[in-house]
Amino acid sequence: MSTFYASYTTAIKLFCATIATITISTTAIAQADSINIVSTAVPFLRISPDARAGGMGDVAIATSADANASFWNISKVNFAKRRSSIAVNYTPWLKDLGLNDVYLATVAGYHQLDEVQAVTGSLRFFSLGNIQLTDYSGNLLNSVKPSEFAIDAGYTRMLNDKMSVGVVLRYINSRLVVGDVGTGVLYKAGNAVAADVSVYHDATDEGEGLRWGVVLSNLGSKIGYTNDAKNKDFIPANFGAGVSYTKDVDGSNKITFALDMNKLLVPAAPTATGVYSVDSANLAEYRTGGVVASWLKSFSDGTGVAKSMQFSTGVEYAYNDQFFVRAGYFYENRNRGNRKYATVGAGFKLDFMDINLSYLVPAGAGITRNPLSNTMRLGVCFKLGEL
């Protein structure tokens, strides 16, 4: 799996066993090399949730609208061809390792109230399976089944016939471990609230033309797992911008090219100096920093803005707007996670539903192995209401 995903899984296990003294952020500061991954709580919010985008390198900010817009840019739903739609997606996690109880499941939908307004809703559920807890000496404690979920509600409105804006309110629950697991500290489920704001511009004419979108997502509170108000982590606030262009080749054949750029609005933890008192003070300052200040600091944390950006590019070929073939590529700098992978996908439209499949091409080995390698993702969109 990639460094990012490996750190996520390992951090959760460490959290469950030793959260009293070690957290995801302290793990980051303990690294003395040049790699300084931005660690946040609830990183499942940044996992690509739908099979269509999954086949295009996780591009979706400015692609054509469907029910999965709730996860990417809800402002798109005003341009959807159906009055209402519901999408269901299932993503196995670490399937290549034979695990069956680790997965991301999502459901999302929208309803156009009239020609200028729409409402949206979605649910994300991430199961981390069964984890056996141990203490520092390796002695068995008890086992837990951590899980996380987020519930959204959104509203969008047309500004003119080509542009729409939207806002999402989100409740986040992260139940990694509850009670005393043998460390002497009482833990609880973490809770947070957040919001997304977005804009979408669709200048296409009869399906051909340019689209673009901008999204600020997961702008919200920190999340903590104890009653210690100073022991809280940032959630993955993010800035995203995307563009796509669709060319109608001959009335039956269309091709869409898309590009997304994303940047976490979370500063990297301070690198270790080797001096305990200095490192402790730096970490305390980092963890007690304000949320809004952290968004601004993410652009000047000394690690370089360019290195902190993630890029997704994808292409979608459509025949008669019924059969779809997709491909894409995702890139992330090695110092910020080192995710690099290619994807392929396909889709088929019926009168009442769309079926999408995606596959992440195996790449890397060991810690660079992606958890979605050799994994098929499935998504279904049920189309409701008139055209």
Side-chain angles (χ1 to χ4, degrees):
M1 67 187 76
S2 69
T3 305
F4 174 86
Y5 289 122
S7 67
Y8 183 20
T9 304
T10 302
I12 291 175
K13 291 182 179 180
L14 288 173
F15 174 90
C16 294
T18 62
I19 192 173
T21 56
I22 299 179
T23 66
I24 295 174
S25 293
T26 57
T27 300
I29 195 174
Q31 305 302 317
D33 57 23
S34 60
I35 298 177
N36 196 0
I37 300 171
V38 176
S39 296
T40 72
V42 294
F44 81 100
L45 293 175
R46 294 298 305 158
I47 297 174
S48 176
D50 74 286
R52 182 194 178 197
M56 299 177 66
D58 298 338
V59 166
I61 293 176
T63 53
S64 58
D66 60 21
N68 290 300
S70 291
F71 302 122
W72 301 100
N73 182 351
I74 70 164
S75 300
K76 299 195 298 184
V77 302
N78 291 100
F79 295 88
K81 296 180 179 179
R82 290 280 185 165
R83 183 78 178 250
S84 304
S85 182
I86 297 174
V88 179
N89 294 274
Y90 178 76
T91 301
W93 197 252
L94 297 173
K95 188 71 173 180
D96 206 24
L97 299 182
L99 299 180
N100 297 313
D101 56 356
V102 184
Y103 60 87
L104 174 68
T106 68
V107 59
Y110 71 85
H111 175 66
Q112 296 174 351
L113 300 175
D114 51 39
E115 293 183 353
V116 297
Q117 300 177 97
V119 291
T120 68
S122 67
L123 169 66
R124 278 174 271 208
F125 178 79
F126 188 51
S127 168
L128 288 101
N130 186 72
I131 295 179
Q132 176 65 56
L133 304 183
T134 63
D135 60 19
Y136 279 112
S137 301
N139 299 313
L140 297 180
L141 298 174
N142 59 332
S143 61
V144 295
K145 293 183 177 180
S147 63
E148 300 174 307
F149 71 86
I151 300 175
D152 299 358
Y155 172 79
T156 71
R157 187 175 184 88
M158 297 286 291
L159 298 181
N160 53 49
D161 61 350
K162 296 184 183 299
M163 182 174 290
S164 177
V165 294
V167 60
V168 174
L169 298 179
R170 176 170 300 120
Y171 167 72
I172 306 160
N173 180 280
S174 177
R175 188 181 180 89
L176 300 183
V177 63
V178 176
D180 187 347
V181 296
T183 61
V185 178
L186 191 64
Y187 307 111
K188 63 179 183 178
N191 297 279
V193 292
D196 299 352
V197 290
S198 63
V199 61
Y200 179 70
H201 186 273
D202 188 331
T204 58
D205 182 14
E206 296 184 356
E208 179 178 275
L210 185 71
R211 305 178 182 93
W212 60 263
V214 177
V215 183
L216 290 168
S217 59
N218 300 317
L219 304 178
S221 62
K222 290 183 178 180
I223 190 169
Y225 299 89
T226 70
N227 290 323
D228 183 359
K230 296 182 179 180
N231 190 23
K232 291 187 175 183
D233 293 292
F234 295 109
I235 63 174
N238 187 80
F239 167 80
V243 61
S244 73
Y245 180 79
T246 299
K247 174 64 178 178
D248 188 341
V249 179
D250 58 13
S252 297
N253 299 276
K254 291 181 181 179
I255 187 166
T256 297
F257 301 93
L259 173 69
D260 282 3
M261 183 279 291
N262 286 280
K263 176 183 169 27
L264 278 175
L265 300 180
V266 180
T271 55
T273 65
V275 180
Y276 178 79
S277 59
V278 174
D279 290 341
S280 297
N282 289 342
L283 181 61
E285 181 182 2
Y286 173 81
R287 294 184 63 82
T288 56
V291 171
V292 176
S294 72
W295 303 338
L296 302 176
K297 189 177 180 181
S298 68
F299 291 92
S300 59
D301 59 5
T303 61
V305 174
K307 290 182 179 180
S308 66
M309 292 183 179
Q310 304 161 358
F311 296 92
S312 300
T313 183
V315 59
E316 178 182 69
Y317 164 76
Y319 176 72
N320 280 340
D321 283 329
Q322 284 187 302
F323 302 95
F324 301 85
V325 178
R326 306 176 179 110
Y329 185 76
F330 181 97
Y331 171 84
E332 182 178 59
N333 187 278
R334 68 175 300 274
N335 294 323
R336 302 305 283 264
N338 202 34
R339 287 177 292 170
K340 299 179 181 69
Y341 53 84
T343 65
V344 293
F348 179 69
K349 281 189 177 183
L350 300 172
D351 288 339
F352 63 96
M353 73 175 180
D354 301 342
I355 301 174
N356 295 303
L357 297 170
S358 67
Y359 179 76
L360 191 144
V361 179
I367 63 171
T368 64
R369 185 73 165 177
N370 194 289
L372 292 176
S373 290
N374 279 332
T375 300
M376 187 70 71
R377 288 192 275 179
L378 172 66
V380 179
C381 290
F382 298 95
K383 296 178 284 190
L384 311 172
E386 70 275 9
L387 289 171

